[in-house]
Amino acid sequence: MNNELKDTKDFLQNISDYIHFFVRDNIPDSWVLLLQILLKFAFFVAIIYLIDFLFKLLINTIFKLFFAKDKYPVLKSIYQSRITNSFSHLMALSFGSYALESIFYRHPKSFVFLERMIYLAIVFFVAGMLYRSLSAFRNYFIIKQDYYKIIALNAVSQTVKIFGIFVSAVIAICVIFGISGSAIVGSLGAITAVMVLVFRDTILGFVTGIHVATSKNLKVGDWIGIPKYNLEGTIEDLNLLTTKIQNFDKTISTIPTYDLLTTEIKNLQVMSESNTRRIKRSIIFNINSFKFLNLEEVNRLSKINLIKDYLTTKKEEIIKERESIENSELVINGRQLTNIGVFREYAFNYLKKSEHIDQSGTVMVRQLENTPQGMPLEIYCFTNDSEWGKYEIILADIFDHLLVSSKEFDLEIMQFNKM
């Protein structure tokens, strides 16, 4: 192995010497040194590019064999993030650092400068390789569709990138000027408090990202509402410092990510994923239109199919009960049916018969506390389709029917209000 390395070194030295003497014999003396260095540098760069090209060709060809196969998600994510390219660059630069002495051994001053440039390039490519490794993790979780871990990785990766830039800059300065890294790092102790203030939002965003990922209460793509900001929309991006939300009017709102720790968040995605959505609205009736129903009115309403059985049963019960009641000629004595009560039963049966209402959920028609505007009759149920457009159609059809059908019960509607 040592002999092979020696042969390689001799080969590079021979080419370097050929360039050296060719320029010396054919170029005026005033240009000799400059052209020797430039041509050797061009040869040096060409070797690095050649090695880099060969490594990329070999490695990427191997990875492409597995790229389209989902059963190799790790290899696929590595290839997509181009870590293989960074590895090829590092291998080429490593070879370049070895070849540097062989090519520039006749120019020691240039050798020192170029050696530092090689090390500087290695620092940047190592940093780039680490960043691409974070992208590889993200690609892997995207393939696995583990969106909560993606949120945590976003917080970690952006934090690592920020501090990675700082560390890389310190190392780069040390390499360029040839100074000790401990001297720079040691001086940072005096400005620690300032750095904490500068990176306050970064630290809070990092903590929030970890909290969101571990609690699994939010992820990109969720439909959320934030009462504090009067926002409702879909999370487009959730990163270290900001969270981007697309509102339903197609505008984009941005809030600080750390606000997710302290602000009330309504996650409506669960409703969407269960394919059900709540209806909770009221019709407000004029109390003065409420009345007892006489036998003639009961018989008329008994022709309505949804309450036919209900009225027949109630009528028989009331007639039987009133036979033993004193002063039964007075309507107020004993049990009586009211138009609002019968309509409430009608509305309930209408919901129970509707194919658009989730019958496994709560279905309820209830009276709310009287208001100066009238008495609210609330419809509370869940549709079996959470898609926004279809939900609005179902809701409108229900209330269109109930608003119009209330006239059959001699009820006066004062106001239709969203609760």
Side-chain angles (χ1 to χ4, degrees), residues 13 29 59 128 211 313 371 410:
Q13 279 184 334
D29 292 344
I59 297 174
H211 169 74
T313 302
T371 69
D410 298 327

Side-chain angles (χ1 to χ4, degrees), residues 195-206:
M195 290 184 63
V196 170
L197 290 175
V198 171
F199 291 108
R200 172 183 173 273
D201 289 351
T202 301
I203 295 171
L204 289 174
F206 172 77

Side-chain angles (χ1 to χ4, degrees), residues 223-224 229-234 236 245-254 388:
W223 171 14
I224 66 168
Y229 298 111
N230 195 26
L231 290 178
E232 186 173 323
T234 304
E236 289 289 306
I245 299 170
Q246 184 181 61
N247 303 304
F248 291 126
D249 59 0
K250 299 302 181 182
T251 58
I252 299 293
S253 298
T254 303
W388 192 7

Side-chain angles (χ1 to χ4, degrees), residues 125-143:
F125 282 123
V126 168
M129 191 173 186
L130 293 176
Y131 295 159
R132 288 180 174 181
S133 298
L134 295 173
S135 298
F137 277 110
R138 179 182 174 85
N139 292 337
Y140 174 78
F141 291 129
I142 289 175
I143 294 172

Side-chain angles (χ1 to χ4, degrees), residues 16 20 32-42 44 96-97 99-119 176:
S16 176
H20 185 86
V32 168
L33 180 60
L34 178 61
L35 285 178
Q36 285 176 338
I37 295 175
L38 289 177
L39 290 176
K40 290 180 182 180
F41 181 76
F44 175 68
S97 65
L100 190 64
E101 184 176 358
S102 298
I103 297 175
F104 290 94
Y105 74 99
R106 292 180 178 274
H107 306 283
K109 293 183 179 180
S110 300
F111 172 78
V112 173
F113 172 76
L114 292 174
E115 185 180 44
R116 290 186 178 180
M117 292 301 101
I118 287 287
Y119 291 154
I176 293 173

